[in-house]
């Protein structure tokens, strides 16, 4: 039954009108995130009860949209109803607190480093990344007020960087807040640049510039925080930067390839701060999400009508762990089609076009640990020894071979490989790779050794 305050409308009519008005008063991204999956439970005893899918919806709808919801209900019914948000498993009312998002203005132009194409609209959502996307949207709508810091973690190629840029772009489009995106590598390089200035005066000027750049922002987004491992002074500086921003209620967004608890080689005081807000993980895309990503990607191509469902499923089954490989497979398929001009793109054509690509991907998905294990077994040593500080030739050369193979057979960066070899600097990995490349030119035995190790991986 509908309460008498609802002007002779059925529940269905009331809710349809409510959703229509809300969709007109919110931007499309906010509407799809917070209102698309809510539903009316009942209107009774001067209370409108609304079912929501996640606890996060209860908080955001109560904190950010309560007034809008309340006003919309009043406009439809002429009655000041209370609003209660419930999950499927609960019926307790939510105590709400209305907040207003204020815009802080600045007159100075600054470089955000944000990539415009990365937005919430272009982020493809599935079961493996839905919670991370929802959390990111919550932070974008209320920067500095909830989930601070937001710590996004997951393996490479799953969309962490896309989400971080999407948050930054949403904030810059909807507020006057100052947003800065950077990587931990850039942060470290700029910090170490202070010591490389020529005079005490210029060093002081650069230090002041550095602090102003990173602390005089409303939102700091820093990617791949794991690469600060081993850089003790840079960690100290980031600790002070973090504190300065957090105490001023400025939003901090961090990404990593592992959870805060797994960043064992970072300072404990940093790791503990990373858990102050909300750590969220992104999992590899499941089959359904991989198909969804491929269909969106292919729909924008001229040859989209030539690609059937069976080819999409073939691609989705062949690229299981990384969105970048999905995109790479499509790019390779398009390139091959442009050269051969087929009448149709069927399974036989796709298999021919991508046979070398999938062989390469098989190597790429091998973990660093798997490569380390294969090298250690060949040289009758252990992975821990390869990671150790020992520099004797019988250890150093196998270690260099392992680094070379990690770079050749995976898509991991020099810093990431160095991190997995006892926290070594990226320049050490680069040197190892160059040395093995040169030795392979004249050393046939080395080529045989590497081929044998590959066969064991």
């Amino acid at each position: 039954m509908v309460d008498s305050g609802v002007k002779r409308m059925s529940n269905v009519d009331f809710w349809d009108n409510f959703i229509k008005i809300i969709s007109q008063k919110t931007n499309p991204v906010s509407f799809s995130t917070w209102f698309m999956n809510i539903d009316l439970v009942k209107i009774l005893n001067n209370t409108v009860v609304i079912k929501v899918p996640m606890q996060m919806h209860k908080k955001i709808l109560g904190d950010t949209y309560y007034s809008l919801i309340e006003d919309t209900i009043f406009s439809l019914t002429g009655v000041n109803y209370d609003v209660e948000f419930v999950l499927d498993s609960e019926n307790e009312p939510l105590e709400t607190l209305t907040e207003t998002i204020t815009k802080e203005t600045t007159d100075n132009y600054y470089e955000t480093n944000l990539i415009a194409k990365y937005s919430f609209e272009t982020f493809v959502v599935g079961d493996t990344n839905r919670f991370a996307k929802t959390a990111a949207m919550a932070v974008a709508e209320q920067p500095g007020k909830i989930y601070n810091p937001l710590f996004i973690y997951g393996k490479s190629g799953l969309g962490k960087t896309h989400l971080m840029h999407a948050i930054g772009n949403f904030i810059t489009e909807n507020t006057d807040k100052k947003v800065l995106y950077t990587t931990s590598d850039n942060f470290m390089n700029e910090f170490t640049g202070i010591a490389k200035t020529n005079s005490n005066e210029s060093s002081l000027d650069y230090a002041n510039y550095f602090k102003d750049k990173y602390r005089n922002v409303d939102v700091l987004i820093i990617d791949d925080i794991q690469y600060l491992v081993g850089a003790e002074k840079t960690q100290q500086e980031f600790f002070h930067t973090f504190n300065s921003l957090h105490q001023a209620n400025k939003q901090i967004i961090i990404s990593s390839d592992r959870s805060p608890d797994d960043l064992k080689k970072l300072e404990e005081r940093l790791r503990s701060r990373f858990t102050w807000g909300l750590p969220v993980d992104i999992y590899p895309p499941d089959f359904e999400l991989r198909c969804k990503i491929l269909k969106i990607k292919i729909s924008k191509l001229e040859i989209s009508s030539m690609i059937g469902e069976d080819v999409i499923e073939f691609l989705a089954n062949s690229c299981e762990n990384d969105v970048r490989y999905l995109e790479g497979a499509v790019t390779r398929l398009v390139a091959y089609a442009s050269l051969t001009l087929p009448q149709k793109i069927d399974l036989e054509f796709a298999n021919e076009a991508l046979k070398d690509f999938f062989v390469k991907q098989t190597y790429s998905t091998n973990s660093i640990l798997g490569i380390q294990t294969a090298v250690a077994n060949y040289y009758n040593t252990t992975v821990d020894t390869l990671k150790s500080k020992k520099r004797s030739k019988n250890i150093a050369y196998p270690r260099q071979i392992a680094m070379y193979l990690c770079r050749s057979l995976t898509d991991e960066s020099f810093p990431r490989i160095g991190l997995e070899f006892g926290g070594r600097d990226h320049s050490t990995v680069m040197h190892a790779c160059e040395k093995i490349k040169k030795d392979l030119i004249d050393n046939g035995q080395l080529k045989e050794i590497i081929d044998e190790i590959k066969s064991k991986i």
Side-chain angles (χ1 to χ4, degrees):
M1 291 293 293
V2 179
D3 189 282
S4 59
V6 181
K7 302 172 182 176
R8 297 182 179 178
M9 283 188 291
S10 68
N11 282 1
V12 173
D13 290 339
F14 164 72
W15 191 247
D16 286 345
N17 289 329
F18 172 83
I19 290 297
K20 181 178 180 180
I21 293 172
I22 291 291
S23 68
Q24 295 169 350
K25 293 186 176 182
T26 57
N27 66 62
V29 176
S30 299
F31 177 77
S32 64
T33 302
W34 306 119
F35 293 96
M36 281 289 286
N37 295 313
I38 68 175
D39 202 1
L40 177 66
V41 177
K42 59 185 176 181
I43 305 172
L44 192 64
N45 298 331
N46 213 45
T47 300
V48 175
V49 182
I50 297 173
K51 184 176 70 175
V52 298
M54 296 183 193
Q55 186 69 33
M56 192 181 300
H57 285 71
K58 292 177 67 175
K59 180 172 179 55
I60 298 302
L61 292 175
D63 287 357
T64 306
Y65 293 104
Y66 191 84
S67 293
L68 173 61
I69 293 170
E70 193 176 45
D71 291 345
T72 303
I73 292 173
F74 180 80
S75 71
L76 290 170
T77 66
V79 177
N80 287 315
Y81 282 99
D82 293 326
V83 182
E84 177 184 332
F85 305 104
V86 297
L87 300 172
D88 283 331
S89 59
E90 64 184 6
N91 290 296
E92 296 180 3
L94 176 70
E95 183 178 348
T96 57
L97 177 64
T98 303
E99 294 182 355
T100 302
I101 298 177
T102 59
K103 294 186 178 182
E104 298 179 10
T105 59
T106 177
D107 295 326
N108 298 324
Y109 172 80
Y110 60 94
E111 184 60 58
T112 66
N113 300 326
L114 294 170
I115 300 175
K117 70 176 182 178
Y118 292 140
S119 65
F120 287 117
E121 290 90 342
T122 58
F123 187 80
V124 186
V125 181
D127 290 341
T128 58
N129 62 16
R130 180 173 284 106
F131 182 71
K133 188 264 182 180
T134 304
M137 189 66 206
V139 168
E141 292 190 324
Q142 295 192 84
K145 295 182 179 180
I146 58 171
Y147 309 138
N148 194 16
L150 177 66
F151 191 101
I152 306 173
Y153 64 95
K155 292 182 179 180
S156 175
L158 300 184
K160 300 187 301 295
T161 298
H162 186 142
L163 269 185
M164 297 175 87
H165 282 279
I167 295 171
N169 284 320
F170 185 93
I171 293 172
T172 57
E173 289 167 8
N174 293 280
T175 76
D176 292 324
K177 291 185 180 295
K178 188 174 182 180
V179 178
L180 176 63
Y181 168 89
T182 191
T183 64
S184 61
D185 272 348
N186 287 339
F187 185 89
M188 180 165 49
N189 290 336
E190 290 190 38
F191 176 69
T192 55
I194 296 173
K196 297 178 182 179
T197 48
N198 296 326
S199 65
N200 290 335
E201 184 177 353
S202 60
S203 177
L204 180 61
D205 289 342
Y206 187 83
N208 289 333
Y209 161 78
F210 176 87
K211 289 184 178 180
D212 181 69
K213 175 179 179 179
Y214 286 102
R215 299 186 190 184
N216 188 28
V217 295
D218 299 299
V219 181
L220 177 62
I221 305 172
I222 184 162
D223 217 344
D224 292 324
I225 199 69
Q226 71 271 10
Y227 294 144
L228 290 188
V229 166
E232 294 182 4
K233 291 185 177 180
T234 306
Q235 286 185 46
Q236 293 175 13
E237 177 58 31
F238 183 71
F239 172 80
H240 295 305
T241 299
F242 182 103
N243 282 346
S244 176
L245 292 170
H246 197 274
Q247 289 167 6
N249 294 322
K250 307 300 185 181
Q251 182 67 50
I252 305 162
I253 302 161
I254 301 166
S255 83
S256 172
D257 65 352
R258 65 202 73 181
S259 71
D261 290 338
D262 291 330
L263 293 169
K264 302 297 185 184
K265 294 183 179 180
L266 279 183
E267 288 187 13
E268 170 60 27
R269 59 179 183 173
L270 267 181
R271 287 192 288 124
S272 66
R273 278 161 173 75
F274 293 162
T275 61
W276 282 359
L278 179 67
V280 294
D281 53 350
I282 299 181
Y283 299 99
D286 56 21
F287 176 76
E288 182 180 352
L289 180 55
R290 295 197 299 272
C291 288
K292 189 175 180 181
I293 292 170
L294 285 167
K295 287 176 181 178
I296 292 174
K297 179 85 174 173
I298 290 170
S299 68
K300 301 174 183 178
L301 305 175
E302 292 183 5
I303 60 172
S304 59
S305 60
M306 300 172 63
I307 302 176
E309 188 74 22
D310 55 345
V311 174
I312 291 174
E313 291 183 358
F314 166 69
L315 297 177
N317 276 317
S318 302
C319 303
E320 295 186 355
N321 297 316
D322 191 327
V323 174
R324 294 195 188 108
Y325 283 123
L326 291 175
E327 295 174 342
V330 173
T331 301
R332 175 66 180 266
L333 188 65
V334 171
Y336 195 77
S338 67
L339 292 173
T340 58
L341 302 176
Q343 295 297 314
K344 62 178 180 177
I345 298 178
D346 53 16
L347 278 176
E348 182 180 357
F349 179 88
N351 192 50
E352 175 65 26
L354 296 165
K355 60 182 180 182
D356 293 335
F357 178 85
F358 289 145
V359 169
K360 181 179 179 182
Q361 188 210 328
T362 301
Y363 282 137
S364 297
T365 55
N366 286 312
S367 68
I368 290 176
L369 178 59
I371 295 169
Q372 290 171 331
T373 301
V375 173
N377 289 342
Y378 182 87
Y379 284 99
N380 197 27
T381 184
T382 66
V383 172
D384 286 341
T385 302
L386 291 179
K387 293 182 176 183
S388 71
K389 301 300 181 183
K390 294 181 180 179
R391 297 184 180 179
S392 56
K393 186 173 181 180
N394 65 322
I395 298 300
Y397 201 67
R399 181 186 296 130
Q400 290 175 329
I401 290 174
M403 289 179 174
Y404 166 79
L405 288 172
C406 287
R407 182 63 177 171
S408 303
L409 303 183
T410 76
D411 63 343
E412 300 294 357
S413 64
F414 289 120
R416 169 64 192 277
I417 295 170
L419 183 65
E420 298 297 334
F421 280 85
R424 284 175 164 80
D425 188 80
H426 70 280
S427 60
T428 302
V429 183
M430 293 175 66
H431 171 74
C433 293
E434 289 301 318
K435 177 174 175 53
I436 300 302
K437 281 182 183 178
K438 290 179 181 178
D439 289 354
L440 279 170
I441 295 174
D442 302 317
N443 190 337
Q445 184 181 5
L446 176 61
K447 185 179 185 304
E448 292 178 4
I449 290 172
I450 287 179
D451 286 342
E452 185 173 343
I453 292 172
K454 284 182 179 180
S455 71
K456 302 294 183 183
I457 298 174

